[in-house]
Amino acid sequence: MSQPLTVLGNITAEQFLREYWQKKPLLVRQAIPEIATFLEPKDIQSLALEDTVTARLIQQTGKNHDQWQVKSSPLEENDFKNLPPYWTLLVQAVDHYSMDLAELWKKFHFIPQWRRDDIMVSYAPKGGSVGKHFDFYDVFLVQGFGHRRWQLGQRCNENTQFIEGQPLKLLSEMEISFDEILAPGDLLYVPPGLSHYGVAEDECLTYSFGFRMPNLAGVIDRVSDQFADNDYLKNPIQDIVREHPNAIGEITAQERQSIKKHLLEKLMTADHFDHAIMALMSEPKYPDNIPESDEIELEDLNDLLDTDYSIQLEPASRLLYLAQENMLKFWANGEPLNIAVETAPILKKIADGDIIYFSEEVFSTSTMLEDILPLINDAILMLTSSEEE
């Protein structure tokens, strides 16, 4: 049994996953108090104007503030002039631009890295909101600057009806079962499908730590691409001879079952399926956020040995591994990596969220540095010094 976690209100990860995860909400006061000092509203507005940032400006208009307008990035300074009283700015993947914020993923170490979506920040003046809605993913809502009132309601699904004629998927009603105001540092876990409604009590920032699973349509599409490129699988499947050669216009149940059997056997045994899943899950959601690195040479990396420099995962990149046949196979940003056996333990630690310090003498062979070098130059890994940390 693991230790109780402050971020979960002093319950263990096992208890949270057993009793709350994808089942019911959890409110934790002062779960992450340090987040209150990370960013201010002006920081989020400035970030929203950057070319590579994904953002949405949501306005409530009309006599009763019940008409909604949405403008997606790129946003300009003029977009923030003459705004109505109630509006909200949503900025995606702020963890790609703030190392302090990216470090907070470690608070949720009990959820696999590949489930992470991004950390979205919502900025709103008093009364601002994005309406009554629900999401298909798990989210930890953490209050930063200011205060926000949250109401939770009924469970929803793909058959839930939305208000017609609005640019957002909004619910007309909620059966309120939870009504609380979150102060800086407070956390609210909301499971998938649970309706929720947040309204700014004053000028505020709310951080949304999102976790999601892939959808089957995306998995099928990616697997089909892998299978379509395999010459062996383009051969006809083994034929079935009918006992009674009649009704030539019919495809029999036996024939359909045989085709299905061949397909499922290949799905269960072919390496293509694993490759498709790993490539899909390691793809960066916001590739434009990956910075362009200043390329370094192997001798530059050698010069860093025994210094205060370290390497860790670039926040906008993704690095995942598969344990298979007593080996570790790695994928980064949608592509497989060719990594030597001796380098694998280091890369595994980085994928698991660790920072590797050059002063620890972990790079015992030139092959290890040769493996790491292109990952740094491709901004899969980032170099930092103790001063930058």
Side-chain angles (χ1 to χ4, degrees):
M1 180 71 70
S2 61
Q3 295 295 315
L5 299 175
T6 303
V7 74
L8 297 177
N10 291 319
I11 66 174
T12 65
E14 289 86 353
Q15 183 180 351
F16 172 77
L17 294 172
R18 183 175 61 250
E19 299 179 12
Y20 293 91
W21 181 252
Q22 301 199 328
K23 297 181 182 71
K24 61 182 181 181
L26 175 66
L27 172 64
V28 181
R29 299 293 185 185
Q30 291 302 289
I32 311 178
E34 63 268 30
I35 202 172
T37 62
F38 282 4
L39 297 169
E40 296 181 0
K42 62 181 181 180
D43 300 320
I44 297 303
Q45 277 194 270
S46 297
L47 186 59
L49 299 176
E50 297 290 334
D51 292 338
T52 60
V53 170
T54 300
R56 286 173 291 165
L57 180 61
I58 299 173
Q59 302 179 49
Q60 294 173 247
T61 60
K63 183 177 180 181
N64 298 317
H65 310 291
D66 57 357
Q67 298 299 309
W68 300 77
Q69 296 179 5
V70 179
K71 181 176 181 184
S72 298
S73 52
L75 299 178
E76 301 174 353
E77 290 187 9
N78 286 337
D79 294 321
F80 294 96
K81 295 179 180 179
N82 302 316
L83 290 170
Y86 301 149
W87 57 276
T88 296
L89 175 64
L90 303 178
V91 182
Q92 302 290 156
V94 180
D95 50 314
H96 296 175
Y97 301 93
S98 167
M99 285 304 299
D100 288 337
L101 195 54
E103 279 290 302
L104 290 185
W105 281 120
K106 295 179 180 179
K107 297 279 188 180
F108 306 97
H109 59 82
F110 47 90
I111 305 173
Q113 186 223 130
W114 62 269
R115 296 288 303 274
R116 294 177 189 171
D117 201 33
D118 70 332
I119 302 177
M120 182 186 77
V121 178
S122 170
Y123 164 53
K126 183 177 180 179
S129 170
V130 296
K132 301 169 184 176
H133 68 287
F134 73 96
D135 303 304
F136 282 111
Y137 55 89
D138 300 86
V139 62
F140 294 86
L141 302 166
V142 183
Q143 190 60 33
F145 184 94
H147 303 75
R148 188 181 293 267
R149 178 185 181 186
W150 284 102
Q151 294 178 320
L152 306 181
Q154 72 277 15
R155 287 276 185 171
C156 303
N157 56 38
E158 62 276 4
N159 298 318
T160 298
Q161 298 297 309
F162 301 109
I163 299 175
E164 295 184 357
Q166 298 289 355
L168 299 169
K169 293 182 178 180
L170 301 176
L171 304 172
S172 58
E173 299 292 339
M174 276 179 51
E175 302 166 4
I176 306 300
S177 59
F178 174 100
D179 194 336
E180 296 282 351
I181 294 175
L182 267 64
D186 292 348
L187 173 150
L188 176 62
Y189 164 68
V190 181
L194 189 66
S195 56
H196 48 285
Y197 180 39
V199 180
E201 290 284 297
D202 45 32
E203 187 180 35
C204 77
L205 295 179
T206 302
Y207 298 80
S208 299
F209 292 72
F211 294 86
R212 74 173 73 212
M213 284 285 285
N215 61 72
L216 284 179
V219 172
I220 291 171
D221 182 63
R222 188 57 60 92
V223 171
S224 67
D225 287 344
Q226 287 291 320
F227 277 39
D229 291 337
N230 184 274
D231 290 334
Y232 172 76
L233 296 178
K234 293 177 183 179
N235 294 324
I237 62 176
Q238 185 178 354
D239 198 6
I240 302 171
V241 180
R242 296 186 183 187
E243 294 181 5
H244 305 288
N246 52 13
I248 63 173
E250 177 189 11
I251 299 179
T252 66
Q254 181 185 11
E255 289 165 337
R256 298 196 307 274
Q257 187 63 28
S258 177
I259 294 173
K260 185 186 298 184
K261 177 184 176 182
H262 279 84
L263 175 60
L264 293 178
E265 284 179 351
K266 289 302 178 186
L267 283 174
M268 295 301 293
T269 60
D271 288 340
H272 300 81
F273 181 78
D274 288 340
H275 180 88
I277 295 298
M278 296 301 292
L280 175 64
M281 297 312 301
S282 67
E283 278 186 350
K285 185 176 180 182
Y286 300 98
D288 289 343
N289 291 355
I290 299 175
E292 290 188 12
S293 298
D294 294 329
E295 286 209 5
I296 61 174
E297 302 294 336
L298 188 59
E299 61 184 44
D300 300 321
L301 212 51
N302 268 299
D303 290 341
L304 297 181
L305 295 176
D306 301 322
T307 70
D308 64 353
Y309 272 82
S310 61
I311 51 172
Q312 60 184 299
L313 182 63
E314 159 60 43
S317 291
R318 293 194 174 180
L319 174 66
L320 300 174
Y321 61 86
L322 185 68
Q324 196 174 65
E325 299 174 355
N326 298 320
M327 292 181 59
L328 294 176
K329 298 182 179 180
F330 293 87
W331 277 258
N333 293 346
E335 299 292 336
L337 301 180
N338 184 18
I339 299 297
V341 173
E342 59 261 42
T343 314
I346 293 177
L347 215 54
K348 177 183 182 298
K349 288 183 177 181
I350 295 174
D352 287 338
D354 288 350
I355 298 175
I356 303 298
Y357 294 90
F358 282 89
S359 59
E360 294 178 351
E361 299 182 356
V362 293
F363 299 101
S364 56
T365 69
S366 59
T367 299
M368 298 167 77
L369 290 179
E370 290 168 1
D371 283 345
I372 293 297
L373 180 63
L375 303 184
I376 295 172
N377 286 336
D378 290 339
I380 294 168
L381 304 181
M382 63 183 296
L383 276 172
T384 56
S385 68
S386 59
E387 294 179 358
E388 294 171 331
E389 294 173 16

